[in-house]
Amino acid sequence: MELRVLRYFLAVAREESITAASEFLHISQPALSRQLMDLERELGKTLLIRGKRRVTLTQEGQLLRKRAEELIELADKTEAELKLSGESVGGDIYIGGGEADAVRFIAKIVTKLRQDYPNIKLHFTSGDSEDIREKLDKGLLDFGIFVEPADITKYEFIRIPAEERWGVIMRKDSPLCGKDVIKPSDLWDVPLIISRQTTEDKIIRSWLGRGIERLNVAATYNLVYNAALLVDEGAGYLIGIDHLADTSEKSNLRFVPLDLDYRIHLDLVWKKYQVFSRAAELFLKTARDDFSVNV
C-alpha cells in the first residue's frame, strides 16, 4: 500500500463521494476510481459501498480508515522530524494524557522552551489511559501522562511533582454538599457519574465497600468537562480528582474530598529505547531538571 493511495482513500471516506474527493485532490474521477479499485484488489477486500448519493465504508473499510489515519499521522510526524534535524532546534512534541492539574507542569516546560526555541510546537492529545497507551505504543505520541497506579513496566518514566486527591463533585444545592468529607455509605444510593479509572482503581473500589454493579451508576465518562456539565444539570455525583472542574465560589459546583487519605501521583512516560526528535529530547531534559527541583 502506498501512502499516496491511503490519502486518496481517506479523502473519499471523509467526503463520502468520489466526485467531491477528486475535486479536493485535484485528480480526475476515473483516475481516483482506478486507484481505489486497485487498492481493493491488492487487499482482496471490498472497502467502499458505492451508492447513488454517497459512498460508505464496509466493515473492512472502517478498519482501514482507522489504520490509515494512524499511518499517515506517523509518516507526517517522521517527515517533520527529519526536515528539522539540522542545527536549529524546532519541531513538534506529541504528548497525551488525561485531564489533571499536573498538566500545568508540562505547560510551564513548553512555555520555557519556546522562549529560547520558538520553532518548537506542542501537540497535546486528551484521553484516558488506554487511549494514550495505544497511541504511545504505536509511536503517535512521544510522551504519555499516566495516573498511578498504572502498569508502566515497559516504559521509562519520571514522576511529575504533583499530588491529586480523590473526592466527589456535586451541585452546591445537593444534600451531600454540607459535608466536610464523603463516606462510602453516602454514595451507595445516590446517582453516580464514574470513569473507567474509578472502576479500575483497587483502592477506590475497596473504599466504596460495594461492587460497581451494586451502585446506582447514572453515567460514565472518560474526560471531566462534559461529566461536570451532567453534574451541573443534576444528573448525579461525579467521583473524580480535584482541580479538574470549576468549583470556585462563582461556580455552581463543589468538590468534597473522600474520607480517605489517598493521594495519587502522575508519571511522564515514554517507550524504552525511544529515539526522540531534538525537540522531544530537549523537552525531556528540561522536564528532568525541573521535576527534580520541584520534588
Side-chain angles (χ1 to χ4, degrees):
M1 289 182 293
E2 297 182 23
L3 289 178
R4 172 179 55 82
V5 178
L6 290 180
R7 293 184 193 275
Y8 291 171
F9 170 76
L10 289 176
V12 173
R14 182 183 64 248
E15 301 292 337
E16 297 184 340
S17 165
I18 293 178
T19 301
S22 65
E23 293 174 355
F24 172 80
L25 296 167
H26 303 292
I27 63 175
S28 69
Q29 183 176 336
L32 178 57
S33 294
R34 284 195 301 271
Q35 295 280 359
L36 295 173
M37 287 188 290
D38 289 344
L39 179 61
E40 289 180 316
R41 278 194 292 268
E42 179 184 352
L43 297 175
K45 299 290 183 180
T46 299
L47 303 173
L48 304 169
I49 301 174
R50 297 161 174 82
K52 292 183 178 180
R53 295 182 177 273
R54 58 194 285 257
V55 174
T56 57
L57 299 180
T58 63
Q59 185 174 354
E60 291 80 6
Q62 292 172 3
L63 174 61
L64 180 62
R65 180 180 190 171
K66 184 176 187 298
R67 297 296 181 236
E69 287 173 343
E70 293 171 350
L71 287 169
I72 295 299
E73 184 177 350
L74 184 58
D76 290 344
K77 178 176 179 287
T78 303
E79 181 180 356
E81 289 173 353
L82 290 173
K83 285 181 177 179
L84 289 169
S85 61
E87 292 300 320
S88 61
V89 176
D92 302 294
I93 304 170
Y94 295 84
I95 303 176
E99 296 171 302
D101 194 57
V103 174
R104 291 182 182 274
F105 286 89
I106 305 300
K108 289 177 180 178
I109 292 171
V110 174
T111 300
K112 181 187 298 186
L113 284 178
R114 282 181 49 80
Q115 290 175 352
D116 296 325
Y117 309 102
N119 290 326
I120 286 179
K121 183 187 299 183
L122 171 67
H123 303 274
F124 195 93
T125 298
S126 294
D128 63 20
S129 59
E130 293 306 312
D131 298 329
I132 301 307
R133 189 184 303 275
E134 180 181 0
K135 291 183 180 296
L136 190 64
D137 290 346
K138 290 179 177 178
L140 302 176
L141 296 174
D142 298 313
F143 304 97
I145 300 173
F146 287 174
V147 177
E148 296 182 6
D151 182 8
I152 55 175
T153 53
K154 65 179 181 180
Y155 303 104
E156 301 286 351
F157 73 95
I158 51 177
R159 175 173 282 186
I160 299 174
E163 291 183 336
E164 306 285 357
R165 186 174 185 183
W166 279 91
V168 178
I169 298 172
M170 63 190 74
R171 285 169 55 114
K172 289 180 178 175
D173 59 0
S174 299
L176 299 180
C177 191
K179 292 181 172 290
D180 294 326
V181 294
I182 297 296
K183 298 180 179 179
S185 58
D186 295 329
L187 303 179
W188 285 351
D189 298 314
V190 299
L192 299 178
I193 302 171
I194 62 175
S195 67
R196 178 160 55 184
Q197 180 184 340
T198 306
T199 61
E200 293 179 350
D201 192 295
K202 294 180 180 178
I203 295 178
I204 295 298
R205 281 161 45 195
S206 175
W207 174 85
L208 281 167
R210 282 188 177 181
I212 298 298
E213 69 281 357
R214 295 182 60 199
L215 298 173
N216 179 11
V217 178
T220 63
Y221 71 94
N222 68 333
L223 296 176
V224 170
Y225 179 80
N226 288 335
L229 294 181
L230 293 176
V231 177
D232 198 31
E233 291 298 324
Y237 294 81
L238 188 156
I239 302 178
I241 58 178
D242 200 1
H243 303 118
L244 297 186
D246 181 8
T247 55
S248 62
E249 289 187 8
K250 64 179 181 179
S251 169
N252 192 37
L253 306 179
R254 183 191 174 203
F255 177 87
V256 181
L258 307 182
D259 69 338
L260 175 70
D261 188 17
Y262 173 38
R263 298 178 184 273
I264 59 175
H265 298 87
L266 293 93
D267 299 316
L268 180 70
V269 308
W270 61 95
K271 290 198 299 185
K272 291 183 178 180
Y273 315 113
Q274 173 80 12
V275 178
F276 288 120
S277 66
R278 296 189 68 202
E281 188 176 315
L282 186 58
F283 169 85
L284 179 57
K285 179 181 182 304
T286 307
R288 286 186 188 277
D289 293 342
D290 278 23
F291 292 174
S292 64
V293 169
N294 285 284
V295 169

